[in-house]
Amino acid sequence: MATVVPAEPRFSTHKALYAVDPLNSETTRLSADDGWSAPDESSLISILVLAHSGKPEAAEKKGMVMVWAQLSQPQTRSAGAMSNLVLAMPPATARRSSATQLIGGSVDDPTQDIARRLTTRFKRPIYLSLNNVGGGRLSAATSGSIMSMVAASHTEGLPALERCLVNELKCVLSV
């Protein structure tokens, strides 16, 4: 007869929803108790975190973290899809952490930079997917013989988004 050994769950999930004030980029965490409602002029940041607790026998349990976030308007809020995916690894030495695009991405996509900063801060591998953030609108303007590339993306919401990601990862990882 087989013996069943109870084991603690190795994965945990966490969801959060924030409203971002368009005038000052201040964020407000919304709750299910409030019906997840936000003013129509606000942007919404939806965050889903899947965290792995690491190897049970390891002294320092630092598993990987998968984070999906989407920036949207309340009236156009959708379930969303993964439009990009980046893997960032913590630095093995004092050097900068590394990140690579696994799915999607564009020239002005900020996902790699944000993933690199998060993995450096939390010292664990992070998979990051950001939807409707940056990228997608690159315009070329010519003046004489000089070609200049001007990125016109959703960068105004990036600091607020990154603050929300840090807050939620602190909560999940108890840092």
Side-chain angles (χ1 to χ4, degrees):
M1 178 162 226
T3 305
V4 177
V5 178
E8 66 180 67
R10 296 189 55 194
F11 283 95
S12 63
T13 58
H14 177 79
K15 287 193 262 182
L17 184 65
Y18 286 83
V20 182
D21 186 322
L23 297 176
N24 57 15
S25 294
E26 286 189 22
T27 58
T28 305
R29 193 168 197 276
L30 304 175
S31 71
D33 297 336
D34 301 334
W36 302 101
S37 61
D40 285 340
E41 67 275 358
S42 296
S43 292
L44 293 177
I45 298 174
S46 306
I47 299 174
L48 177 63
V49 179
L50 175 66
H52 185 269
S53 61
K55 296 180 181 178
E57 64 276 4
E60 199 174 321
K61 298 180 182 180
K62 289 193 173 186
M64 70 89 189
V65 177
M66 164 73 188
V67 182
W68 175 87
Q70 174 175 300
L71 186 62
S72 63
Q73 299 300 318
Q75 62 273 20
T76 60
R77 187 171 165 212
S78 63
M82 189 179 295
S83 62
N84 63 15
L85 181 64
V86 167
L87 169 61
M89 298 297 289
T93 62
R95 292 182 165 181
R96 190 172 132 162
S97 59
S98 61
T100 187
Q101 190 83 36
L102 301 175
I103 299 173
S106 65
V107 175
D108 56 341
D109 186 358
T111 309
Q112 280 190 358
D113 293 329
I114 293 173
R116 192 175 287 121
R117 286 191 294 272
L118 291 173
T119 199
T120 300
R121 180 178 187 138
F122 293 104
K123 308 276 190 274
R124 59 181 69 216
I126 293 182
Y127 289 88
L128 179 62
S129 177
L130 300 180
N131 298 300
N132 300 331
V133 177
R137 290 189 282 170
L138 192 65
S139 62
T142 59
S143 97
S145 62
I146 301 172
M147 172 78 77
S148 63
M149 300 299 280
V150 179
S153 62
H154 302 293
T155 55
E156 64 274 358
L158 286 180
L161 172 69
E162 195 164 347
R163 277 194 312 270
C164 295
L165 291 172
V166 168
N167 289 341
E168 294 309 312
L169 286 172
K170 280 182 180 178
C171 178
V172 169
L173 303 174
S174 302
V175 175

